[in-house]
PDB file of all heavy atoms in Angstrom:
ATOM      1  N   ASP A  78     -14.776   5.807 -13.085  1.00 90.00           N
ATOM      2  CA  ASP A  78     -14.826   7.257 -13.243  1.00 90.00           C
ATOM      3  C   ASP A  78     -13.426   7.821 -13.024  1.00 90.00           C
ATOM      4  O   ASP A  78     -12.742   7.456 -12.066  1.00 90.00           O
ATOM      5  CB  ASP A  78     -15.826   7.814 -12.217  1.00 90.00           C
ATOM      6  CG  ASP A  78     -15.894   9.313 -12.246  1.00 90.00           C
ATOM      7  OD1 ASP A  78     -16.492   9.835 -13.191  1.00 90.00           O
ATOM      8  OD2 ASP A  78     -15.354   9.936 -11.318  1.00 90.00           O
ATOM      9  N   ALA A  79     -12.987   8.698 -13.913  1.00 89.00           N
ATOM     10  CA  ALA A  79     -11.631   9.266 -13.843  1.00 89.00           C
ATOM     11  C   ALA A  79     -11.371   9.971 -12.515  1.00 89.00           C
ATOM     12  O   ALA A  79     -10.264   9.906 -11.976  1.00 89.00           O
ATOM     13  CB  ALA A  79     -11.408  10.234 -14.998  1.00 89.00           C
ATOM     14  N   GLU A  80     -12.388  10.603 -11.974  1.00 92.00           N
ATOM     15  CA  GLU A  80     -12.247  11.303 -10.697  1.00 92.00           C
ATOM     16  C   GLU A  80     -11.987  10.312  -9.555  1.00 92.00           C
ATOM     17  O   GLU A  80     -11.120  10.533  -8.708  1.00 92.00           O
ATOM     18  CB  GLU A  80     -13.517  12.109 -10.412  1.00 92.00           C
ATOM     19  CG  GLU A  80     -13.337  13.236  -9.429  1.00 92.00           C
ATOM     20  CD  GLU A  80     -14.595  14.085  -9.353  1.00 92.00           C
ATOM     21  OE1 GLU A  80     -14.861  14.826 -10.309  1.00 92.00           O
ATOM     22  OE2 GLU A  80     -15.294  13.986  -8.320  1.00 92.00           O
ATOM     23  N   LYS A  81     -12.731   9.217  -9.549  1.00 92.00           N
ATOM     24  CA  LYS A  81     -12.542   8.180  -8.527  1.00 92.00           C
ATOM     25  C   LYS A  81     -11.154   7.555  -8.675  1.00 92.00           C
ATOM     26  O   LYS A  81     -10.458   7.331  -7.683  1.00 92.00           O
ATOM     27  CB  LYS A  81     -13.616   7.108  -8.633  1.00 92.00           C
ATOM     28  CG  LYS A  81     -13.457   6.004  -7.614  1.00 92.00           C
ATOM     29  CD  LYS A  81     -14.517   4.936  -7.738  1.00 92.00           C
ATOM     30  CE  LYS A  81     -14.287   3.826  -6.726  1.00 92.00           C
ATOM     31  NZ  LYS A  81     -15.242   2.736  -6.864  1.00 92.00           N
ATOM     32  N   LEU A  82     -10.768   7.286  -9.899  1.00 94.00           N
ATOM     33  CA  LEU A  82      -9.454   6.693 -10.151  1.00 94.00           C
ATOM     34  C   LEU A  82      -8.344   7.627  -9.665  1.00 94.00           C
ATOM     35  O   LEU A  82      -7.377   7.181  -9.058  1.00 94.00           O
ATOM     36  CB  LEU A  82      -9.303   6.393 -11.640  1.00 94.00           C
ATOM     37  CG  LEU A  82      -8.178   5.458 -12.056  1.00 94.00           C
ATOM     38  CD1 LEU A  82      -8.243   4.134 -11.325  1.00 94.00           C
ATOM     39  CD2 LEU A  82      -8.208   5.247 -13.554  1.00 94.00           C
ATOM     40  N   ALA A  83      -8.513   8.909  -9.908  1.00 93.00           N
ATOM     41  CA  ALA A  83      -7.515   9.896  -9.466  1.00 93.00           C
ATOM     42  C   ALA A  83      -7.424   9.947  -7.942  1.00 93.00           C
ATOM     43  O   ALA A  83      -6.344  10.194  -7.399  1.00 93.00           O
ATOM     44  CB  ALA A  83      -7.860  11.269 -10.027  1.00 93.00           C
ATOM     45  N   ARG A  84      -8.526   9.712  -7.234  1.00 93.00           N
ATOM     46  CA  ARG A  84      -8.496   9.682  -5.762  1.00 93.00           C
ATOM     47  C   ARG A  84      -7.752   8.455  -5.256  1.00 93.00           C
ATOM     48  O   ARG A  84      -7.099   8.494  -4.217  1.00 93.00           O
ATOM     49  CB  ARG A  84      -9.915   9.696  -5.190  1.00 93.00           C
ATOM     50  CG  ARG A  84     -10.582  11.055  -5.201  1.00 93.00           C
ATOM     51  CD  ARG A  84     -11.848  11.074  -4.355  1.00 93.00           C
ATOM     52  NE  ARG A  84     -12.806  10.046  -4.708  1.00 93.00           N
ATOM     53  CZ  ARG A  84     -13.806  10.192  -5.587  1.00 93.00           C
ATOM     54  NH1 ARG A  84     -13.967  11.339  -6.214  1.00 93.00           N
ATOM     55  NH2 ARG A  84     -14.630   9.199  -5.838  1.00 93.00           N
ATOM     56  N   LEU A  85      -7.854   7.351  -5.995  1.00 94.00           N
ATOM     57  CA  LEU A  85      -7.208   6.105  -5.578  1.00 94.00           C
ATOM     58  C   LEU A  85      -5.729   6.053  -5.945  1.00 94.00           C
ATOM     59  O   LEU A  85      -4.916   5.547  -5.175  1.00 94.00           O
ATOM     60  CB  LEU A  85      -7.915   4.907  -6.219  1.00 94.00           C
ATOM     61  CG  LEU A  85      -9.310   4.577  -5.737  1.00 94.00           C
ATOM     62  CD1 LEU A  85      -9.925   3.487  -6.609  1.00 94.00           C
ATOM     63  CD2 LEU A  85      -9.277   4.142  -4.281  1.00 94.00           C
ATOM     64  N   LEU A  86      -5.399   6.554  -7.132  1.00 96.00           N
ATOM     65  CA  LEU A  86      -4.043   6.392  -7.660  1.00 96.00           C
ATOM     66  C   LEU A  86      -3.434   7.724  -8.094  1.00 96.00           C
ATOM     67  O   LEU A  86      -3.987   8.400  -8.954  1.00 96.00           O
ATOM     68  CB  LEU A  86      -4.054   5.453  -8.873  1.00 96.00           C
ATOM     69  CG  LEU A  86      -4.625   4.055  -8.665  1.00 96.00           C
ATOM     70  CD1 LEU A  86      -4.624   3.297  -9.980  1.00 96.00           C
ATOM     71  CD2 LEU A  86      -3.862   3.311  -7.602  1.00 96.00           C
ATOM     72  N   PRO A  87      -2.276   8.053  -7.533  1.00 95.00           N
ATOM     73  CA  PRO A  87      -1.598   9.276  -7.967  1.00 95.00           C
ATOM     74  C   PRO A  87      -0.853   9.042  -9.286  1.00 95.00           C
ATOM     75  O   PRO A  87      -0.239   7.997  -9.477  1.00 95.00           O
ATOM     76  CB  PRO A  87      -0.612   9.544  -6.827  1.00 95.00           C
ATOM     77  CG  PRO A  87      -0.346   8.196  -6.244  1.00 95.00           C
ATOM     78  CD  PRO A  87      -1.602   7.394  -6.428  1.00 95.00           C
ATOM     79  N   LYS A  88      -0.907   9.996 -10.162  1.00 94.00           N
ATOM     80  CA  LYS A  88      -0.199   9.868 -11.442  1.00 94.00           C
ATOM     81  C   LYS A  88       1.277  10.219 -11.324  1.00 94.00           C
ATOM     82  O   LYS A  88       2.056   9.946 -12.223  1.00 94.00           O
ATOM     83  CB  LYS A  88      -0.861  10.732 -12.516  1.00 94.00           C
ATOM     84  CG  LYS A  88      -2.151  10.134 -13.015  1.00 94.00           C
ATOM     85  CD  LYS A  88      -2.601  10.764 -14.296  1.00 94.00           C
ATOM     86  CE  LYS A  88      -3.825  10.023 -14.797  1.00 94.00           C
ATOM     87  NZ  LYS A  88      -4.316  10.557 -16.057  1.00 94.00           N
ATOM     88  N   ASP A  89       1.671  10.805 -10.187  1.00 95.00           N
ATOM     89  CA  ASP A  89       3.068  11.202 -10.023  1.00 95.00           C
ATOM     90  C   ASP A  89       3.904  10.144  -9.303  1.00 95.00           C
ATOM     91  O   ASP A  89       5.045  10.397  -8.955  1.00 95.00           O
ATOM     92  CB  ASP A  89       3.158  12.541  -9.292  1.00 95.00           C
ATOM     93  CG  ASP A  89       2.596  12.487  -7.880  1.00 95.00           C
ATOM     94  OD1 ASP A  89       1.808  11.568  -7.566  1.00 95.00           O
ATOM     95  OD2 ASP A  89       2.949  13.369  -7.078  1.00 95.00           O
ATOM     96  N   LYS A  90       3.319   8.959  -9.087  1.00 97.00           N
ATOM     97  CA  LYS A  90       4.055   7.872  -8.430  1.00 97.00           C
ATOM     98  C   LYS A  90       3.983   6.618  -9.286  1.00 97.00           C
ATOM     99  O   LYS A  90       3.065   6.439 -10.079  1.00 97.00           O
ATOM    100  CB  LYS A  90       3.463   7.571  -7.054  1.00 97.00           C
ATOM    101  CG  LYS A  90       3.649   8.707  -6.075  1.00 97.00           C
ATOM    102  CD  LYS A  90       3.113   8.328  -4.717  1.00 97.00           C
ATOM    103  CE  LYS A  90       3.269   9.522  -3.771  1.00 97.00           C
ATOM    104  NZ  LYS A  90       2.723   9.221  -2.463  1.00 97.00           N
TER     105      LYS A  90
END
Side-chain angles (χ1 to χ4, degrees):
D78 177 75
E80 201 172 288
K81 179 181 178 183
L82 195 55
R84 282 193 306 268
L85 290 172
L86 303 177
K88 285 195 175 181
D89 63 340
K90 293 183 182 178

